[in-house]
Amino acid sequence: MRPALLACRFFAPLFLGLSLVPLSATEGRRAAPKPSDARQAEVGIPVTETHSYKEFKDFGQIWQILQDRRGVLYFAHGGPTLLEYDGVGWRKIAMPGTQSRSIDVDSSGTVWVGSVSDFGYLAPDATGTLKYVSLNDKIPAADRKFTVVQQTLATPQGVFFRAYEELFRWDGKTMHVWSAAPGQRYEALSLLKGHIYTAQKGIGLEEIAGDQLHPLPGGDAYKDAAKLLLHEYSGDQMLVSQRHGLLTLYDGHRSVPFPTQADDFFRKHDSYVSTMLPDGGICVTTTDAGAVILEHDGRLRQFLDKSDGLLDSDSLGTFVDRDGALWIGSEVGVTRLELNSPVSFFSRGFADDAIRFNGAVYGIVEGSPGAISRLTFDPQTKQRGLEAVKGPTQTFSFTLFKDPSGKTPDQLLVATNDGIYKLQGNELVPAVAGLHGSQEQNYSSLVSRKDPSRVFIGNGNGVSSMRWDGQRWIYEGRLPNTVYEARYLAEGPDGTLWVAGLEGRVLRIEVADTGMQASKVESIGAAEGLPPGTTLIGNVAGEIYASALRTNALFRWNTKAHRFVLDNRFLLSQDEPDVSPAVSQLPDGSMWTSSSSADRRRLGRILQRPDGSWKIDEETYKPLDRFSLGPAFVDPDGATWFAGEYLIRLSPRTAAAQTVPFATLVRQIHSGTKTVFGGSIVPGAAELRLPAGTSALSFQFAALNYQNPADTTYQYILEGADKDWSAWGKQTEANYSALGPGSYRLRVRSRTGDGRMGEEGAYAFTIL
C-alpha cells in the first residue's frame, strides 16, 4: 500500500464536520444498478451539508430560501418565524401568522415576506435588529380574507404577493388587488425578461400588464395545472414545470412537451418545484423521492435522495446560492449540495485503496459486500452500487501488473490477510498456486522498475518476492533471517528496495538477481539519520525520502554519505506541533506530498517545471483539505481518485470553478443582556454612542461562508483597546471588560479551511 494511504488509515486526524450518509447499492425507488464500464456514466455524490430542524430548534418544512445582498440566508418555513442563518448561527424573526411561506429581495436589498393572511418586509429597528413589518393595514378591508401567500416576487413595477384567492401588488404607495373568480385560483407568479406572468385555474397563463391580466395565446393549455413555475429557456421559449405533471415548453403561442430521461420517474412521483442551475441544468423536486438534476436538453444527470445526503426525500423549496451550491428544503430541515464542486463521493465509508482495472473502478471499502468491490454505474439511472468480489476476509491494497512482454493481459494483484491474491473473473485467487495462509498475510506489493517481471511483497512478518515467467507466477522466497512488519515499499533508482513499517528502523535491501531469498539486507536507524518514531518511506523525483509521525520534516537518503539528510523541498509545513508529513509516487509517475495534524491537512502534487526545477500544486487540491485522504490513481483525463476516510474523485473539469468573495460581518454587540447592535445598518443613523459607564461589551461575528463553515477561522482587533490582532482561531465571539470612554472600532477577518480570505468587517462606536 502506498504511504499516503496507510498514513491516512492509521494516523491521520478524523474528518471534522460534514454530514454524510453511507452509499447503498439500492434504496427505495431505485432499481439495482447495472454494471457499466462507461466512464461517462460515473456520476458521484456531491459534497453535502445538512441542517436539521434540531439545529435551529424550530419547525422544519423549508418552503423557500433566499440570500440577501450581504450573503445572509433566509428560510421561509412551517413555523411562525422567518429563519436567518449566517454560517455560524441561526436567528428567528417573529411573524404574525402560523408560518412564513415565501420570500424575495428587491434591488435595494429589502427582504419581502409572505405569511398566512399577511405579508410585509424586514426592516432594522433602532439597534439594527431586523424585524418584520406588516403591510396588512395597506390592504383594503374587503380583500383581507386570503390564506397563505404562496409566492413573493419583487419587480421594478412593485412587489407582488400571490395567494390562491388574490394577487396583490404593492408599489410603495398603493395596493392593487386582483381577485380570482369563484372556483378559480392563482397558480403562478414569475418574472421573465421584464414580463410578469401568472396563471389561473380555468383560464391558464396570463400576463400582468399595468393593472390588467391578459390571457396568453395557447395559455389555456395550463388551465388545469397547479403550482406553475416559469423559467427562461432558449430564444422565446419558457420552460414550465407544474405539480402532478411533466415539463413543457411555451413560446407565447403554444405549449409543447419537453421530453426528459426522467419522465417515467415523474409519472410515478409528483414533481413539486423547479430551479434553473447556473450551468443550464434543471433541478426538479418531488414530494416523496428527492430531486432530479437534468441537463439543459432533458438528459438525466443524476437523482438525489436520502442515500445521496438529503435530510429527507420530501423535497420542497430549492435555491442556488452565490457559490453555485444548491439548497434543498424538506420537511425536516435543509441540505446544501456543492453541485459545482470538483469533489464527488463514491463511498461514505473508509476506503483503504482504489484502482481502475480494465475500465472499472475497484475499491477496498468498509461495509462493502465483498473482500473488494467493483463500483457499478447505470448509465440510464445514473445510480452507483457496489458489486461484491469473493475473496479473503481482509484486503489492504491493490497493485496493477503489466506483462513486460505484452503477451498476457494485465493483472490486478491484491494484498490480503491470506497472502498475495489476483483477480480472476469475479473472484480473488492466490497469485501463486498453494501459497496462502495466515503466515502469508501481506500489506502491500510493488512492481520493480529495474525488473518489471518481479513483484516485491510486504508481508506481516517479512519481505518476499515473485516473478512472472510469461505464463505463471514463480515464488522467489523470503528475505532470510528477517522478521519485520513490511507496510511500505519503495524502490530506489539503483534497484535497491526500501521497506518501512511500524518500527524505528527501515530496511535497505540489495535485491539479488534470483529474488528476495538471496538478497542482502541492512537495517537503517537513528545512526544513519533516520528520524525517531513510526517511519514512512517513498520514492519521489528519483530519490528515497523518509518521514516520521509528528516530525514536520522530510529526510532524503544520501547515497554517498550513506545516511538520511534533512531535505524539506517537498514539505508542506505547518505550525502545529503534531504534523506528520508523507511523500509518495503512484505507478503512473505522479508524485504527491501531504501533511496532517489534528486540526489541519495539506495536500499537493509535485510537478517538474521545464527548467528541471520543482513546484508543488496545492491550490488544485485545496477542496480536499477537509478530508483525510491519500491519492489512489489518476485517470487519463486528469481526474484523480483519493482513498482514505472516503473514496473521492476530484475532477479537473470543475477544479477551476470561480470562487466568490464573502463578507465578514459584525453580527451583534451586547452590553450585558442588552443588544446595542443587531447586525443591520440603519440607514441615516449616526454612529453608535454608548452611555458613560459602559465598560463590558460582547461582540459576535460571522463569515458568510457556507462551504464547510466549521473550519473557518477568525482574527480580530478592537482599535482603541488592542495593540495587535488576535491569534487566528475558530471562536466567533470576543469579550471585553474595563473599557473606558473613547472611540473604538472592531475589525474582523476570516479565513476558510482551504485558505480563502473573507472581506474584512468593521463596526465603529463611542463610549461617552
Side-chain angles (χ1 to χ4, degrees), residues 70-234:
R70 300 172 299 173
V72 176
L73 288 165
Y74 300 86
F75 301 84
H77 71 120
T81 63
L82 180 70
L83 299 174
E84 182 182 356
Y85 178 57
D86 56 18
V88 172
W90 296 80
R91 298 187 191 181
K92 301 174 186 179
I93 301 172
M95 300 293 296
T98 57
Q99 61 178 289
S100 54
R101 188 58 179 263
S102 59
I103 45 180
D104 201 7
V105 60
D106 65 19
S107 58
S108 70
T110 300
V111 174
W112 300 83
V113 189
S115 181
V116 178
S117 303
D118 201 286
F119 53 82
Y121 60 95
L122 303 183
D125 64 10
T127 69
T129 302
L130 285 178
K131 303 289 186 181
Y132 174 77
V133 180
S134 174
L135 290 175
N136 188 268
D137 61 339
K138 308 297 183 183
I139 304 171
D143 297 315
R144 296 179 184 174
K145 296 181 180 181
F146 58 95
T147 54
V148 179
V149 178
Q150 302 286 338
Q151 280 180 281
T152 297
L153 180 65
T155 79
Q157 288 76 42
V159 184
F160 290 79
F161 303 90
R162 176 182 72 84
Y164 286 140
E165 305 84 1
E166 292 174 305
L167 184 64
F168 302 89
R169 182 191 64 213
W170 170 250
D171 63 8
K173 296 180 180 179
T174 60
M175 186 75 69
H176 190 87
V177 184
W178 294 270
S179 297
Q184 298 175 354
R185 66 183 198 174
Y186 293 104
E187 292 286 357
L189 183 61
S190 296
L191 173 66
L192 281 77
K193 295 182 178 180
H195 297 271
I196 304 168
Y197 300 97
T198 187
Q200 291 189 68
K201 281 272 191 177
I203 297 175
L205 286 179
E206 298 174 295
E207 182 176 357
I208 305 174
D211 295 342
Q212 304 299 315
L213 301 182
H214 299 292
L216 294 174
D220 57 353
Y222 301 98
K223 65 181 180 180
D224 298 320
K227 202 170 184 66
L228 288 163
L229 289 170
L230 285 62
H231 308 281
E232 293 183 24
Y233 184 68
S234 63

Side-chain angles (χ1 to χ4, degrees), residues 430-489:
V432 178
L435 186 69
H436 64 92
S438 59
Q439 288 298 310
E440 299 302 327
Q441 172 173 317
N442 79 292
Y443 294 111
S444 58
S445 58
L446 176 70
V447 178
S448 171
R449 295 190 178 186
K450 182 178 181 180
D451 181 359
S453 66
R454 175 170 290 134
V455 170
F456 302 118
I457 302 170
N459 296 105
N461 57 2
V463 187
S464 57
S465 67
M466 63 185 185
R467 178 177 52 83
W468 180 251
D469 71 355
Q471 295 181 336
R472 63 191 179 95
W473 287 103
I474 307 298
Y475 184 59
E476 296 181 323
R478 290 203 177 205
L479 187 67
N481 305 316
T482 303
V483 177
Y484 188 90
E485 190 176 57
R487 289 187 177 270
Y488 316 130
L489 305 176

Side-chain angles (χ1 to χ4, degrees), residues 224-468:
D224 298 320
K227 202 170 184 66
L228 288 163
L229 289 170
L230 285 62
H231 308 281
E232 293 183 24
Y233 184 68
S234 63
D236 294 329
Q237 290 182 313
M238 308 176 193
L239 179 70
V240 184
S241 70
Q242 57 182 298
R243 192 171 184 183
H244 314 299
L246 302 179
L247 298 176
T248 57
L249 293 173
Y250 176 71
D251 63 2
H253 301 282
R254 66 191 183 103
S255 171
V256 297
F258 179 68
T260 79
Q261 291 181 343
D263 283 354
D264 288 342
F265 171 78
F266 290 135
R267 291 185 181 99
K268 298 176 184 177
H269 306 280
D270 279 346
S271 59
Y272 193 67
V273 299
S274 58
T275 300
M276 298 299 289
L277 304 178
D279 64 0
I282 307 157
C283 176
V284 182
T285 68
T286 70
T287 54
D288 65 343
V292 180
I293 306 294
L294 301 170
E295 302 292 354
H296 192 69
D297 59 5
R299 287 177 295 120
L300 177 63
R301 184 183 301 178
Q302 68 184 125
F303 289 108
L304 297 167
D305 66 8
K306 290 182 71 174
S307 68
D308 300 311
L310 297 188
L311 271 176
D312 189 71
S313 290
D314 186 345
S315 301
L316 304 174
T318 57
F319 177 73
V320 178
D321 67 19
R322 293 178 182 177
D323 295 316
L326 176 67
W327 296 74
I328 299 181
S330 71
E331 291 282 352
V332 295
V334 64
T335 304
R336 182 181 189 268
L337 302 100
E338 296 181 16
L339 296 184
N340 62 337
S341 170
V343 177
S344 53
F345 289 83
F346 290 85
S347 85
R348 297 300 200 185
F350 199 100
D352 283 280
D353 201 359
I355 196 169
R356 186 178 293 282
F357 178 67
N358 289 342
V361 175
Y362 289 83
I364 301 172
V365 181
E366 283 187 357
S368 60
I372 65 173
S373 296
R374 179 179 183 271
L375 273 67
T376 59
F377 305 92
D378 189 322
Q380 278 73 48
T381 66
K382 306 297 184 183
Q383 299 313 313
R384 302 152 299 277
L386 297 173
E387 182 181 52
V389 176
K390 297 179 182 178
T393 55
Q394 276 187 295
T395 50
F396 301 102
S397 65
F398 294 115
T399 298
L400 178 64
F401 177 79
K402 294 179 176 290
D403 185 348
S405 70
K407 295 179 180 179
T408 58
D410 295 348
Q411 298 181 53
L412 179 58
L413 303 177
V414 185
T416 82
N417 66 321
D418 200 53
I420 185 75
Y421 274 60
K422 65 179 180 179
L423 180 66
Q424 186 171 290
N426 201 44
E427 182 179 6
L428 295 182
V429 299
V432 178
L435 186 69
H436 64 92
S438 59
Q439 288 298 310
E440 299 302 327
Q441 172 173 317
N442 79 292
Y443 294 111
S444 58
S445 58
L446 176 70
V447 178
S448 171
R449 295 190 178 186
K450 182 178 181 180
D451 181 359
S453 66
R454 175 170 290 134
V455 170
F456 302 118
I457 302 170
N459 296 105
N461 57 2
V463 187
S464 57
S465 67
M466 63 185 185
R467 178 177 52 83
W468 180 251

Side-chain angles (χ1 to χ4, degrees), residues 46-73:
V47 178
T48 61
E49 193 157 358
T50 58
H51 302 281
S52 163
Y53 69 93
K54 296 178 182 179
E55 179 180 326
F56 47 78
K57 298 179 176 60
D58 210 324
F59 290 89
Q61 209 171 45
I62 304 295
W63 296 110
Q64 287 191 21
I65 306 162
L66 172 76
Q67 193 167 26
D68 70 13
R69 292 197 305 181
R70 300 172 299 173
V72 176
L73 288 165

Side-chain angles (χ1 to χ4, degrees), residues 746-759:
L746 182 75
R747 297 169 60 193
V748 185
R749 298 170 178 167
S750 62
R751 182 176 64 191
T752 64
D754 58 9
R756 292 178 293 122
M757 295 294 297
E759 297 173 345

